[in-house]
Amino acid sequence: MSEWTHMYVVLLKGDVEEARDLELVGIALEVAGRCGKPVVVDLSGVGFMGADLLYELFKPGHFGRPRPWLSGPLSAYVARTFEVTGTAAAFRTFPSLMEATVAAWP
């Protein structure tokens, strides 16, 4: 996690599927959401993404907070997860963290 000038970035790497990993993602999104800036989850380093991680990404919206933005490039498996679940349109997704940075700049 790191707070940037105009956004908050949560960087994920590896296969995020263990209960402890998912708990940390939830905590990171909760903390980041308090900053009042767009929250960007960088998924470029994630190889596997299951339904549990997808749920964590949706969770802020369940509590009335904006959903995080997502950045890639997304692995084929992660992209397929969004495609199969029909959830890709629920998130603002950028091909790279740089492009998300430009979008967050006022």
Side-chain angles (χ1 to χ4, degrees):
M1 296 179 2
S2 62
E3 187 170 2
W4 295 16
T5 305
H6 298 288
M7 65 185 192
Y8 205 102
V9 178
V10 177
L11 174 66
L12 303 180
K13 290 193 179 256
D15 295 341
V16 184
E17 59 184 323
E18 299 295 324
R20 180 70 179 144
D21 297 337
L22 295 164
E23 180 182 3
L24 290 173
V25 170
I27 291 168
L29 291 174
E30 184 179 333
V31 169
R34 294 179 189 157
C35 74
K37 301 175 186 180
V39 176
V40 179
V41 177
D42 184 345
L43 296 172
S44 63
V46 175
F48 172 81
M49 183 178 128
D52 291 333
L53 177 56
L54 190 56
Y55 174 75
E56 290 299 328
L57 296 174
F58 269 105
K59 198 182 287 186
H62 296 310
F63 296 107
R65 297 187 311 266
R67 288 189 189 116
W69 295 357
L70 308 178
S71 72
L74 303 178
S75 72
Y77 194 92
V78 171
R80 182 80 176 136
T81 299
F82 284 113
E83 181 183 319
V84 168
T85 59
T87 56
F91 296 94
R92 189 167 178 190
T93 305
F94 298 89
S96 71
L97 186 55
M98 179 58 71
E99 291 177 64
T101 302
V102 170
W105 204 265

